[in-house]
Each structure stands twice: as structure tokens, then as C-alpha cells.
Amino acid sequence: MATLPPSPFDRDRRNRRTMMAAALVGLTMLALGFASVPLYRIFCERTGFGGTTQRAEAASHVKVAYGHTMSIRFDSNVAPGMPWQFRPEHPTQTITVGAKNMAIFIAKNMSDKPVTGSAAFNVTPTQAGAYFTKIQCFCFTEQTLQPGQEVRMPVIYYVDPRILDDPDNKDTQQITLSYTFYPVEQDKKAS
């Protein structure tokens, strides 16, 4: 018995179904592409992945681990083409784990026009990022400095005492908090 060739109607229906499936896959991939940045940011903030620090409210209560100190080192950088000087007021602090601390960074616009910058940050060793918590930071918002303006920018932070119970951090004696300021592009600001 011979099989009949598919009718043009069956072929059109299969082609439409294939086209709809391909369009659905494409739209799903596009949606995942847009969602990947915020999802990755949330993942990093929750886990401290890649040295991402935590964020807390000023009213958060943390138990101070008296007798447990740690050295915090501050690193500052500016991206190429960023006309700022940027440095920590004090390059290191010895802190009590769990106690709130404040570090000051100083930025100066060396150009003859206003410059807006945004700071990216990370913590090393990276596994300590899950325990380094910022309450207030200049890195949470863009900073605009007028020509020649110098500002003092605080960071209020603490190291969560849970770091003392983490086997991955048992040898951590110093944490480095590093910032890099990047210029905010003017066309990006206008949108």
C-alpha cells in the first residue's frame, strides 16, 4: 500500500507550528537575556559571589564579637580617562568583628568641568564578601563633582560575626575593600 504525500495544508500547519515554537524560544531567550543582569546581581548580593558585599539598613542589630579583630584594607582606583584623584583617608583599619565602622574616601575632580562618576566595588578574599556588610556608601549612587571640587565620602560598614564560624574564612585576617570609579557617560545620563 502506497503512502500519500503530505497535503499542502498539513505542511503549512507544521511550518506554522515550527515557526511559533522558534519564535517562543527566541522570546524566552530574549527575556532571559534582559533578566540575567538583575538575577546575577541578586545572586551575588545574596551569596557574596565574586566579592560582592552585603547591604543592610542603619537600624540593623548585629552582635559584636568582642576580642575578635580583623584588618580592613582599602583600595581605590579610577578608570582610564576619569579625571579624578581618589584615595582612602586611611589605607587600613583594625576593626572589631560585628562593630559598625566608618571609612572615608577622598575624591577630587581634576578637570575644568563637572564630572559624574559611579563606583564599582568588590571584596577580597571573595569568600569574605558574604560577611562584609555596607550600611551607607557613596557607591550606592552616582557622584557629581564640580571642577576642582574635593569631597569626603563615607562608607559605614561591619563584618558579620558569622565569618568566625565559616570554615572557608577561618584563616581570613585581612579583608580588602576595593573601589574603582568610572565616568558616567552623558548620553546615558540624559535617558
Side-chain angles (χ1 to χ4, degrees):
M1 176 171 209
T3 0
L4 295 172
S7 74
F9 178 74
D10 289 340
R11 211 175 348 196
D12 287 345
R13 194 172 64 192
R14 280 196 316 262
N15 286 346
R16 270 195 305 274
R17 196 177 307 151
T18 302
M19 188 174 67
M20 293 296 281
L24 183 62
V25 167
L27 287 173
T28 301
M29 291 177 71
L30 182 66
L32 285 174
F34 279 105
S36 64
V37 171
L39 290 174
Y40 181 73
R41 184 177 298 126
I42 290 168
F43 169 77
C44 290
E45 287 172 356
R46 296 278 187 233
T47 64
F49 181 76
T52 302
T53 62
Q54 306 303 300
R55 195 167 172 177
E57 297 298 319
S60 62
H61 297 286
V62 178
K63 187 176 180 182
V64 177
Y66 294 104
H68 295 280
T69 60
M70 190 171 283
S71 174
I72 308 297
R73 188 176 82 81
F74 302 104
D75 178 54
S76 58
N77 305 282
V78 292
M82 181 73 169
W84 286 10
Q85 287 181 347
F86 177 56
R87 64 181 174 80
E89 187 173 56
H90 301 286
T92 59
Q93 289 181 345
T94 300
I95 57 109
T96 299
V97 175
K100 291 180 185 172
N101 302 277
M102 181 168 67
I104 302 290
F105 284 78
I106 299 168
K108 183 174 183 178
N109 181 354
M110 303 304 289
S111 76
D112 59 355
K113 61 183 178 186
V115 176
T116 300
S118 180
F121 57 87
N122 71 343
V123 166
T124 52
T126 56
Q127 70 271 14
Y131 303 101
F132 195 98
T133 305
K134 290 190 241 173
I135 298 168
Q136 178 184 335
C137 183
F138 58 86
C139 62
F140 295 161
T141 58
E142 294 177 352
Q143 305 295 321
T144 300
L145 273 62
Q146 298 304 314
Q149 181 183 13
E150 182 174 288
V151 295
R152 294 168 44 91
M153 300 181 293
V155 178
I156 300 175
Y157 69 95
Y158 64 89
V159 176
D160 193 311
R162 294 178 302 142
I163 196 170
L164 302 171
D165 299 325
D166 183 351
D168 291 334
N169 282 291
K170 67 179 173 147
D171 296 326
T172 301
Q173 296 177 5
Q174 184 177 65
I175 296 174
T176 300
L177 175 61
S178 181
Y179 288 101
T180 302
F181 256 107
Y182 295 92
V184 174
E185 297 171 19
Q186 295 305 319
D187 58 329
K188 190 176 174 186
K189 278 184 65 179
S191 58

